[in-house]
Amino acid sequence: QVQFVESGGGLVQPGGSLRLSCAASGSLLYFPTTGWYRRAPGEKREMVAGITTGRSTTYADSVRGRFTISRDDAKNTVYLQMNSLKPEDTAVYYCNYVPADSGSWGQGTQVTVAS
């Protein structure tokens, strides 16, 4: 079973940027789509971006135009470039296949947007 390890989170001011990375222990090509998810305090986990093996992308309305998902299949890694960050982007960010494989969740990486 593939495991994901997320990194790159941190504390950033509103309007700032972060780039998250997600390394998979196996091939990303096992599933057609890989995505980034997040869970804010007191909220359910939601998908914010997805990318297919053909590089087609999809975004949640709340992040479209600010976040960019990309992938490097040779490195089994998915990235999330986050620009113009807002306090409401504060959450733990995870990656997984789409639909998510329940056994593949990693620890996530904390993103905090605050001044």
Side-chain angles (χ1 to χ4, degrees):
Q1 195 166 36
V2 173
Q3 297 296 313
F4 293 96
V5 178
E6 302 87 355
S7 62
L11 173 63
V12 63
Q13 293 186 340
S17 298
L18 282 174
R19 189 192 193 211
L20 306 183
S21 298
C22 171
S25 62
S27 175
L28 292 175
L29 299 177
Y30 289 151
F31 277 62
T33 305
T34 304
W36 280 96
Y37 301 76
R38 69 185 180 187
R39 179 159 55 195
E43 301 291 332
K44 294 182 179 180
R45 185 154 41 197
E46 62 171 346
M47 192 180 88
V48 296
I51 185 167
T52 69
T53 54
R55 303 298 193 274
S56 295
T57 58
T58 184
Y59 298 94
D61 290 343
S62 58
V63 307
R64 187 175 292 112
R66 300 187 297 120
F67 290 11
T68 302
I69 188 172
S70 60
R71 61 191 288 162
D72 185 337
D73 291 334
K75 296 181 179 180
N76 295 325
T77 300
V78 182
Y79 304 97
L80 188 68
Q81 178 67 42
M82 306 187 297
N83 299 328
S84 302
L85 282 161
K86 304 175 181 180
E88 52 263 44
D89 294 319
T90 295
V92 180
Y93 284 72
Y94 306 84
C95 62
N96 204 323
Y97 296 122
V98 180
D101 176 24
S102 60
S104 296
W105 292 111
Q107 294 299 307
T109 186
Q110 174 71 48
V111 172
T112 302
V113 185
S115 54

